[in-house]
Amino acid sequence: MRAGSGSCWLAAVAAAGFLSSVGAARAADETTLKQLETRAAAELPKMVAWRRDIHAHPELSGQEVRTAKLVADHLRGLGMEVRTGVGGTGVVALLKGGKPGNRVIALRADMDALPVQERTGLPFASKVTARNFGKDTPVMHACGHDGHTAILMGVAEMLAGMRSEFGGTVKFIFQPAEEGRSEHPADPNAPFGAKAMIADGALDKPKVDAIFGLHLAPGPSVGSVGYRVGSMMAGADGFRIKVTGRQTHGSRPWDGVDPIAASAQIINGLQTIVSRQLNISKAPVVVTIGAINGGNRENIIPDTVEMLGTLRTFDNAVRNDAKKRITLTAQSIAAASGATVEVSFTSVAYPPTVNPHPLSAQAVPVLNAVTGGKAIVIPLVSGSEDFSDYQLAVPGFFFILGAPPKGKTTATAAPNHSPLFDFDEDAMAIGARALSALALDQLARQ
Ligand code: NI
């Protein structure tokens, strides 16, 4: 560990007289980190085996039955209190430390795979197909969630072996459906993924004080982790705008109200929200209309036009502001021509992933201690992650576990969601050490 990295084992001792015992504090710190290194190295072959098993048996969002059973059986075998069927197929388990302490720290992994046909050629490559919105579709762990699940199973075993050494509770959250849905729900507004876990009490009983999660990616290099303090990953909101006018003959527009002309103005108006209204020096914003449907022939002005769009934001206040402006802009422009408009934001909504400052200030030194100073500030990530839903409820810190496959670099590795996506399994030991250390560090802050 680098001198002066200031992790909380230091801070905990600091409260008890740090200035007079710097040497002792640092030794305790080193001992815990060394122990985590040894335990993670011993755990790595098991994590690799779990990862390959899960990889060969991927399950789409909301269908993670086999994976959840593998996880629940493992956690029960470690003597934990396990709750299954949380938020659908989610699993939540509690590990209570042997020392006194009231803090509850959650660690989260996502378990779902994607409708992607694997082309990695790996010996444990998926040959699985499953129903995706009613169609048989090839399924692949193309986003590393097999690794996330295996890492957290490893962490569970590491920390269960150390329970006499900490106080408080570690809550393990294995979440389904991070990637969305694989079938149409009876209620389109029913929550899925993190929202469903939260609605089902994953953060309550006992109440979580802080939560941590990670994501495998081709960068940074193996042995490093990437993070940002503040905005890190984009929020994504889908929306639908329905413009209603009054149908008439194309030769007599004055007899009706043209929703196509109004829609054209609305599309341009929406772009001025980004270019003229929002402070882009605070956080970038993207508004996209990706579909527009209305009319069926050249000489009929139709009754209605429907548009589908997405909003991407990196800040929760900007997100809320932009959503209001989208509605106001569409309503005002439609009203100017006598049309009416309905704007609705869909239930497929991911808030931006934002690492709060106080928790980040505690977490980053721990990541640096684990990686030997290789916690790297990365650029904004334009993808989304529903870890952000937990962050809206409790302080949460998310980071990237760098893992380009052996023989590849960040530049040459296939990106997440590619049919060629793979990762260096050695990185799982780093991930397990990092999550364990973050939990122990927080538990020491009684
Ligand atoms: Ni993912």
Side-chain angles (χ1 to χ4, degrees), residues 420-440:
L420 300 173
F421 179 79
D422 188 23
F423 62 86
D424 187 338
E425 291 168 330
D426 289 348
M428 293 198 290
I430 308 278
R433 285 164 59 197
L435 288 177
S436 303
L438 287 165
L440 292 177

PDB file of all heavy atoms in Angstrom, residues 420-440:
ATOM      1  N   LEU A 420     -18.162 -11.167 -29.516  1.00  0.00           N
ATOM      2  CA  LEU A 420     -16.779 -11.596 -29.250  1.00  0.00           C
ATOM      3  C   LEU A 420     -16.311 -11.182 -27.857  1.00  0.00           C
ATOM      4  O   LEU A 420     -15.151 -11.385 -27.501  1.00  0.00           O
ATOM      5  CB  LEU A 420     -15.842 -10.990 -30.311  1.00  0.00           C
ATOM      6  CG  LEU A 420     -16.146 -11.390 -31.755  1.00  0.00           C
ATOM      7  CD1 LEU A 420     -15.273 -10.596 -32.732  1.00  0.00           C
ATOM      8  CD2 LEU A 420     -15.906 -12.892 -31.951  1.00  0.00           C
ATOM      9  N   PHE A 421     -17.209 -10.607 -27.029  1.00  0.00           N
ATOM     10  CA  PHE A 421     -16.781 -10.094 -25.711  1.00  0.00           C
ATOM     11  C   PHE A 421     -16.231 -11.216 -24.831  1.00  0.00           C
ATOM     12  O   PHE A 421     -16.795 -12.304 -24.729  1.00  0.00           O
ATOM     13  CB  PHE A 421     -17.948  -9.416 -24.988  1.00  0.00           C
ATOM     14  CG  PHE A 421     -17.563  -8.895 -23.616  1.00  0.00           C
ATOM     15  CD1 PHE A 421     -16.878  -7.700 -23.477  1.00  0.00           C
ATOM     16  CD2 PHE A 421     -17.863  -9.631 -22.463  1.00  0.00           C
ATOM     17  CE1 PHE A 421     -16.503  -7.230 -22.220  1.00  0.00           C
ATOM     18  CE2 PHE A 421     -17.491  -9.166 -21.207  1.00  0.00           C
ATOM     19  CZ  PHE A 421     -16.809  -7.968 -21.082  1.00  0.00           C
ATOM     20  N   ASP A 422     -15.104 -10.927 -24.206  1.00  0.00           N
ATOM     21  CA  ASP A 422     -14.519 -11.841 -23.223  1.00  0.00           C
ATOM     22  C   ASP A 422     -13.704 -10.980 -22.264  1.00  0.00           C
ATOM     23  O   ASP A 422     -13.498  -9.782 -22.506  1.00  0.00           O
ATOM     24  CB  ASP A 422     -13.629 -12.873 -23.935  1.00  0.00           C
ATOM     25  CG  ASP A 422     -13.134 -13.969 -22.986  1.00  0.00           C
ATOM     26  OD1 ASP A 422     -13.767 -14.202 -21.943  1.00  0.00           O
ATOM     27  OD2 ASP A 422     -12.096 -14.589 -23.303  1.00  0.00           O
ATOM     28  N   PHE A 423     -13.251 -11.568 -21.162  1.00  0.00           N
ATOM     29  CA  PHE A 423     -12.419 -10.792 -20.239  1.00  0.00           C
ATOM     30  C   PHE A 423     -11.361 -11.693 -19.623  1.00  0.00           C
ATOM     31  O   PHE A 423     -11.490 -12.924 -19.642  1.00  0.00           O
ATOM     32  CB  PHE A 423     -13.285 -10.123 -19.153  1.00  0.00           C
ATOM     33  CG  PHE A 423     -14.045 -11.081 -18.270  1.00  0.00           C
ATOM     34  CD1 PHE A 423     -13.459 -11.640 -17.137  1.00  0.00           C
ATOM     35  CD2 PHE A 423     -15.355 -11.435 -18.573  1.00  0.00           C
ATOM     36  CE1 PHE A 423     -14.161 -12.527 -16.325  1.00  0.00           C
ATOM     37  CE2 PHE A 423     -16.057 -12.327 -17.772  1.00  0.00           C
ATOM     38  CZ  PHE A 423     -15.463 -12.867 -16.650  1.00  0.00           C
ATOM     39  N   ASP A 424     -10.314 -11.084 -19.098  1.00  0.00           N
ATOM     40  CA  ASP A 424      -9.237 -11.821 -18.438  1.00  0.00           C
ATOM     41  C   ASP A 424      -9.724 -12.242 -17.050  1.00  0.00           C
ATOM     42  O   ASP A 424      -9.988 -11.393 -16.190  1.00  0.00           O
ATOM     43  CB  ASP A 424      -7.994 -10.927 -18.335  1.00  0.00           C
ATOM     44  CG  ASP A 424      -6.788 -11.692 -17.816  1.00  0.00           C
ATOM     45  OD1 ASP A 424      -6.964 -12.749 -17.161  1.00  0.00           O
ATOM     46  OD2 ASP A 424      -5.651 -11.236 -18.061  1.00  0.00           O
ATOM     47  N   GLU A 425      -9.848 -13.543 -16.844  1.00  0.00           N
ATOM     48  CA  GLU A 425     -10.407 -14.043 -15.583  1.00  0.00           C
ATOM     49  C   GLU A 425      -9.534 -13.687 -14.382  1.00  0.00           C
ATOM     50  O   GLU A 425     -10.020 -13.661 -13.250  1.00  0.00           O
ATOM     51  CB  GLU A 425     -10.614 -15.555 -15.679  1.00  0.00           C
ATOM     52  CG  GLU A 425     -11.740 -15.913 -16.662  1.00  0.00           C
ATOM     53  CD  GLU A 425     -11.797 -17.386 -17.002  1.00  0.00           C
ATOM     54  OE1 GLU A 425     -10.719 -18.036 -16.994  1.00  0.00           O
ATOM     55  OE2 GLU A 425     -12.898 -17.891 -17.277  1.00  0.00           O
ATOM     56  N   ASP A 426      -8.245 -13.410 -14.604  1.00  0.00           N
ATOM     57  CA  ASP A 426      -7.376 -13.022 -13.477  1.00  0.00           C
ATOM     58  C   ASP A 426      -7.890 -11.751 -12.791  1.00  0.00           C
ATOM     59  O   ASP A 426      -7.643 -11.534 -11.600  1.00  0.00           O
ATOM     60  CB  ASP A 426      -5.938 -12.769 -13.952  1.00  0.00           C
ATOM     61  CG  ASP A 426      -5.236 -14.068 -14.344  1.00  0.00           C
ATOM     62  OD1 ASP A 426      -5.781 -15.156 -14.019  1.00  0.00           O
ATOM     63  OD2 ASP A 426      -4.164 -14.003 -14.965  1.00  0.00           O
ATOM     64  N   ALA A 427      -8.584 -10.908 -13.569  1.00  0.00           N
ATOM     65  CA  ALA A 427      -9.101  -9.657 -12.994  1.00  0.00           C
ATOM     66  C   ALA A 427     -10.134  -9.932 -11.907  1.00  0.00           C
ATOM     67  O   ALA A 427     -10.379  -9.068 -11.056  1.00  0.00           O
ATOM     68  CB  ALA A 427      -9.720  -8.785 -14.089  1.00  0.00           C
ATOM     69  N   MET A 428     -10.731 -11.127 -11.925  1.00  0.00           N
ATOM     70  CA  MET A 428     -11.748 -11.419 -10.903  1.00  0.00           C
ATOM     71  C   MET A 428     -11.143 -11.384  -9.498  1.00  0.00           C
ATOM     72  O   MET A 428     -11.825 -11.018  -8.533  1.00  0.00           O
ATOM     73  CB  MET A 428     -12.413 -12.775 -11.179  1.00  0.00           C
ATOM     74  CG  MET A 428     -13.248 -12.762 -12.463  1.00  0.00           C
ATOM     75  SD  MET A 428     -14.434 -14.127 -12.569  1.00  0.00           S
ATOM     76  CE  MET A 428     -13.314 -15.493 -12.810  1.00  0.00           C
ATOM     77  N   ALA A 429      -9.880 -11.767  -9.371  1.00  0.00           N
ATOM     78  CA  ALA A 429      -9.223 -11.702  -8.047  1.00  0.00           C
ATOM     79  C   ALA A 429      -9.107 -10.252  -7.578  1.00  0.00           C
ATOM     80  O   ALA A 429      -9.329  -9.951  -6.402  1.00  0.00           O
ATOM     81  CB  ALA A 429      -7.855 -12.372  -8.105  1.00  0.00           C
ATOM     82  N   ILE A 430      -8.790  -9.352  -8.514  1.00  0.00           N
ATOM     83  CA  ILE A 430      -8.699  -7.918  -8.164  1.00  0.00           C
ATOM     84  C   ILE A 430     -10.081  -7.409  -7.740  1.00  0.00           C
ATOM     85  O   ILE A 430     -10.227  -6.690  -6.749  1.00  0.00           O
ATOM     86  CB  ILE A 430      -8.221  -7.070  -9.375  1.00  0.00           C
ATOM     87  CG1 ILE A 430      -6.945  -7.631  -9.992  1.00  0.00           C
ATOM     88  CG2 ILE A 430      -8.091  -5.589  -9.003  1.00  0.00           C
ATOM     89  CD1 ILE A 430      -5.681  -7.250  -9.295  1.00  0.00           C
ATOM     90  N   GLY A 431     -11.090  -7.792  -8.525  1.00  0.00           N
ATOM     91  CA  GLY A 431     -12.457  -7.353  -8.219  1.00  0.00           C
ATOM     92  C   GLY A 431     -12.907  -7.840  -6.850  1.00  0.00           C
ATOM     93  O   GLY A 431     -13.523  -7.093  -6.081  1.00  0.00           O
ATOM     94  N   ALA A 432     -12.593  -9.104  -6.541  1.00  0.00           N
ATOM     95  CA  ALA A 432     -13.001  -9.673  -5.250  1.00  0.00           C
ATOM     96  C   ALA A 432     -12.275  -8.978  -4.103  1.00  0.00           C
ATOM     97  O   ALA A 432     -12.863  -8.697  -3.055  1.00  0.00           O
ATOM     98  CB  ALA A 432     -12.714 -11.175  -5.236  1.00  0.00           C
ATOM     99  N   ARG A 433     -10.993  -8.682  -4.305  1.00  0.00           N
ATOM    100  CA  ARG A 433     -10.240  -7.966  -3.260  1.00  0.00           C
ATOM    101  C   ARG A 433     -10.806  -6.561  -3.063  1.00  0.00           C
ATOM    102  O   ARG A 433     -10.931  -6.084  -1.933  1.00  0.00           O
ATOM    103  CB  ARG A 433      -8.762  -7.869  -3.658  1.00  0.00           C
ATOM    104  CG  ARG A 433      -8.004  -9.183  -3.491  1.00  0.00           C
ATOM    105  CD  ARG A 433      -6.690  -9.169  -4.240  1.00  0.00           C
ATOM    106  NE  ARG A 433      -5.810  -8.091  -3.802  1.00  0.00           N
ATOM    107  CZ  ARG A 433      -4.751  -7.658  -4.500  1.00  0.00           C
ATOM    108  NH1 ARG A 433      -4.455  -8.196  -5.674  1.00  0.00           N
ATOM    109  NH2 ARG A 433      -4.009  -6.702  -4.026  1.00  0.00           N
ATOM    110  N   ALA A 434     -11.124  -5.907  -4.186  1.00  0.00           N
ATOM    111  CA  ALA A 434     -11.617  -4.527  -4.098  1.00  0.00           C
ATOM    112  C   ALA A 434     -12.956  -4.463  -3.365  1.00  0.00           C
ATOM    113  O   ALA A 434     -13.131  -3.667  -2.439  1.00  0.00           O
ATOM    114  CB  ALA A 434     -11.742  -3.924  -5.496  1.00  0.00           C
ATOM    115  N   LEU A 435     -13.911  -5.324  -3.753  1.00  0.00           N
ATOM    116  CA  LEU A 435     -15.223  -5.294  -3.094  1.00  0.00           C
ATOM    117  C   LEU A 435     -15.101  -5.661  -1.614  1.00  0.00           C
ATOM    118  O   LEU A 435     -15.739  -5.042  -0.754  1.00  0.00           O
ATOM    119  CB  LEU A 435     -16.200  -6.249  -3.800  1.00  0.00           C
ATOM    120  CG  LEU A 435     -16.703  -5.807  -5.175  1.00  0.00           C
ATOM    121  CD1 LEU A 435     -17.597  -6.890  -5.782  1.00  0.00           C
ATOM    122  CD2 LEU A 435     -17.467  -4.486  -5.117  1.00  0.00           C
ATOM    123  N   SER A 436     -14.274  -6.675  -1.314  1.00  0.00           N
ATOM    124  CA  SER A 436     -14.086  -7.073   0.098  1.00  0.00           C
ATOM    125  C   SER A 436     -13.496  -5.932   0.900  1.00  0.00           C
ATOM    126  O   SER A 436     -13.945  -5.629   2.015  1.00  0.00           O
ATOM    127  CB  SER A 436     -13.149  -8.289   0.195  1.00  0.00           C
ATOM    128  OG  SER A 436     -13.637  -9.360  -0.549  1.00  0.00           O
ATOM    129  N   ALA A 437     -12.462  -5.301   0.344  1.00  0.00           N
ATOM    130  CA  ALA A 437     -11.781  -4.221   1.064  1.00  0.00           C
ATOM    131  C   ALA A 437     -12.720  -3.030   1.273  1.00  0.00           C
ATOM    132  O   ALA A 437     -12.729  -2.419   2.343  1.00  0.00           O
ATOM    133  CB  ALA A 437     -10.531  -3.786   0.295  1.00  0.00           C
ATOM    134  N   LEU A 438     -13.533  -2.713   0.253  1.00  0.00           N
ATOM    135  CA  LEU A 438     -14.478  -1.591   0.387  1.00  0.00           C
ATOM    136  C   LEU A 438     -15.489  -1.876   1.502  1.00  0.00           C
ATOM    137  O   LEU A 438     -15.803  -0.997   2.315  1.00  0.00           O
ATOM    138  CB  LEU A 438     -15.200  -1.347  -0.941  1.00  0.00           C
ATOM    139  CG  LEU A 438     -14.343  -0.710  -2.041  1.00  0.00           C
ATOM    140  CD1 LEU A 438     -15.026  -0.856  -3.407  1.00  0.00           C
ATOM    141  CD2 LEU A 438     -14.057   0.759  -1.752  1.00  0.00           C
ATOM    142  N   ALA A 439     -15.977  -3.123   1.556  1.00  0.00           N
ATOM    143  CA  ALA A 439     -16.943  -3.478   2.607  1.00  0.00           C
ATOM    144  C   ALA A 439     -16.287  -3.410   3.983  1.00  0.00           C
ATOM    145  O   ALA A 439     -16.841  -2.803   4.914  1.00  0.00           O
ATOM    146  CB  ALA A 439     -17.502  -4.872   2.347  1.00  0.00           C
ATOM    147  N   LEU A 440     -15.110  -3.997   4.132  1.00  0.00           N
ATOM    148  CA  LEU A 440     -14.438  -4.000   5.442  1.00  0.00           C
ATOM    149  C   LEU A 440     -14.092  -2.582   5.875  1.00  0.00           C
ATOM    150  O   LEU A 440     -14.208  -2.240   7.056  1.00  0.00           O
ATOM    151  CB  LEU A 440     -13.168  -4.864   5.380  1.00  0.00           C
ATOM    152  CG  LEU A 440     -13.399  -6.363   5.206  1.00  0.00           C
ATOM    153  CD1 LEU A 440     -12.078  -7.107   5.078  1.00  0.00           C
ATOM    154  CD2 LEU A 440     -14.207  -6.931   6.385  1.00  0.00           C
TER     155      LEU A 440
END
